[in-house]
Structure formats: structure tokens, C-alpha cells
Amino acid sequence: MVGVEFFGNFDLASAAIWLFWIFFAGLVYYLQTENMREGYPLRDDKDGVPANESLLPLPKEKTFHLRDGKGTLTVPSREYEDSKMRNDLALAQSSPSSGSPWVPTGDPMLDGVGPASWAPRRDAPELDAHGHVKIRPMATLPDFKISAGRDPRGKPVVGGDGEVIGRVTDMWVDVPEALVRFLQLDLNPEGTGKMRLIPMNMAKIGTDRVTVRSLYAHNWEGVPVTKSADQVTLLEEDKIMAYYAGGTMYATAARSATVLP
């Protein structure tokens, strides 16, 4: 018989399981190295490259062609990581010991550190699969309407200190997801055009008001603004989210204490 004479006593089941384990180990190795394309080479506290970056070696450089004619990107690359580095961080190590926590040295709400930190993302709007801007004001979307829940438009906005600081004038919608991402706020209830965006997940919509606990009255002027009246870039999104998140600890000096007020 062909099978008996050719394979003899060879165990096909054993070969199959060993081939599976070899394939699985190779897959794990591949995925782990591909995961190291961004954020590497690593850095130590003195901005140097550690001697032992990882148990696995860095993958070879690979060049990606970005969509919509936005050029190319080669990773992993020290030049690429250097271009994303923020060298103006107002932080200082709390002690000379390696691994000690870093503490803010200036105004953390403005310096963007700690809970208020942000990543240097592309300063361009996020696009959908068809190349259209994803997040747009609802006022520019005639086909969109509220199908459930409370409509926040026209409601006053109250901060964590109970002060009324403005009124909601519009909602910014993630068009492909049909999801509200931001509320548009006018800092003057009478309408001065001094607009700010409120992340939807940082706001609580009540029957007669919208409450944002993370900021106090004196913080609202510092909320990052958008360059465009009807678009928000990835970088602006990150800065806005970071500002509101940072307010949970830095809005007042009392919030940096052991117990939050």
C-alpha cells in the first residue's frame, strides 16, 4: 500500500500537532514584533535607549502608504518617534530613584500633563471610508434628528461648582456611527459666538440643565478651541478630551488632595 510503504511507522497525527505548534509559535512571534512598530525604540528616564528593549527584537522597517494621498510612514523609526516627542513637558521627577513618579511643575491644565496629557495626533479631521469628515455639527446634517433621550440644545451648562457658564447650541455627530460625540457650548447665554466643545461622555444631561462636574467656572475659558467652526481635528479632539479629564484632578487645588471634593 502506498501509505504504509511510503510513511512506514510515521505518525501523521503527531506531525499535524507539531506543525500546529510551530505555526502558532511563529504567529505569536509575528504579532508581538508587529506590535512594536509604534512606541519603539523605548526610552529611559534620561531620554536614552535602554540596553535591553524587549525580549524580542524590533521588526524591520516597513513603509506604509497613507490613504487620501497623505504620504508615507516608515515604522519603527527613531526619527518618527522623535517627531512625536513633546519636549516642553512641565514635569519633574519626584525623587532621584529610577521609576519615581513625575509631578507637574506648572499649570497642569494648560501644560497637558498627568490626567490632562494628550498625544500628538495628526492635526487633520478623521475621515470615513468615503473620505468625508466623520464628526460634523448636527446643524449641517438635515437628515439627522434625535430619536430617543433628551435634547440638550438650549439647556444651560453647569460646572462642578454649580455655576451656569453657558448654553448648549448644537451637537456634533459622528456621522458613520450615528453617535453624538460633542456638545457645542456658547460661553455667553446671550450668544457671543465664544464656542467650546464638551465631550459627550463628560456631560450629564438632565431635565433642565447639562452638568459637567470636571470643570469649574474659571476653567472654561481655557478649553482648547478648534480652528474650524464645523470640523475638529484628531489633535484637537485629544487636547479637548485631555482638558476635561484633567479637570477631575486639577480644576482646583483641593482636587489634588487625598479625597476629591
Side-chain angles (χ1 to χ4, degrees):
M1 296 175 61
V2 175
V4 174
E5 293 178 356
F6 183 79
F7 288 102
N9 295 324
F10 191 80
D11 189 342
L12 290 178
S14 178
I17 192 65
W18 277 107
L19 287 174
F20 167 76
W21 286 120
I22 292 171
F23 164 78
F24 187 75
L27 178 63
V28 171
Y29 178 87
Y30 170 77
L31 293 178
Q32 288 297 321
T33 52
E34 286 297 303
N35 191 46
M36 297 165 65
R37 290 201 175 275
E38 284 201 74
Y40 287 82
L42 297 176
R43 300 169 183 264
D44 58 22
D45 289 342
K46 296 182 180 179
D47 198 29
V49 178
N52 184 15
E53 297 179 341
S54 170
L55 295 175
L56 300 176
L58 288 177
K60 294 181 179 179
E61 288 187 353
K62 181 187 291 186
T63 299
F64 296 87
H65 295 274
L66 304 180
R67 58 171 292 185
D68 300 319
K70 296 187 180 300
T72 61
L73 175 65
T74 301
V75 288
S77 167
R78 183 63 188 259
E79 289 74 19
Y80 172 61
E81 295 299 329
D82 285 342
S83 69
K84 299 193 302 176
M85 284 292 293
R86 296 176 56 195
N87 299 315
D88 58 343
L89 298 180
L91 287 171
Q93 203 166 1
S94 58
S95 73
S97 303
S98 179
S100 298
W102 292 69
V103 295
T105 58
D107 184 345
M109 291 289 289
L110 297 177
D111 297 333
V113 297
S117 60
W118 47 268
R121 305 173 73 191
R122 289 189 298 110
D123 195 16
E126 185 177 5
L127 305 180
D128 62 17
H130 303 287
H132 303 140
V133 176
K134 287 187 66 175
I135 301 178
R136 298 169 56 192
M138 197 167 176
T140 65
L141 302 170
D143 295 334
F144 275 71
K145 64 180 181 179
I146 297 177
S147 60
R150 299 187 179 101
D151 187 344
R153 290 173 293 186
K155 296 184 185 297
V157 177
V158 178
D161 52 0
E163 295 287 337
V164 177
I165 47 81
R167 191 173 300 277
V168 176
T169 58
D170 201 358
M171 296 180 289
W172 288 39
V173 181
D174 186 326
V175 177
E177 301 292 337
L179 184 67
V180 178
R181 296 292 188 188
F182 296 96
L183 301 180
Q184 180 176 293
L185 163 73
D186 191 330
L187 288 179
N188 189 320
E190 298 178 358
T192 61
K194 188 181 290 186
M195 302 298 180
R196 299 292 188 274
L197 293 182
I198 304 173
M200 191 62 191
N201 55 342
M202 299 296 290
K204 181 179 179 180
I205 302 175
T207 56
D208 61 344
R209 67 185 62 189
V210 175
T211 305
V212 182
R213 292 188 64 254
S214 64
L215 299 186
Y216 283 3
H218 64 277
N219 301 131
W220 290 93
E221 289 284 347
V223 175
V225 298
T226 60
K227 295 179 296 185
S228 172
D230 57 359
Q231 292 183 5
V232 57
T233 70
L234 293 169
L235 178 61
E236 291 167 347
E237 281 189 63
D238 223 49
K239 289 185 175 182
I240 292 171
M241 293 290 293
Y243 191 90
Y244 283 88
T248 59
M249 178 172 283
Y250 299 136
T252 65
R255 284 191 169 181
S256 299
T258 305
V259 179
L260 297 180

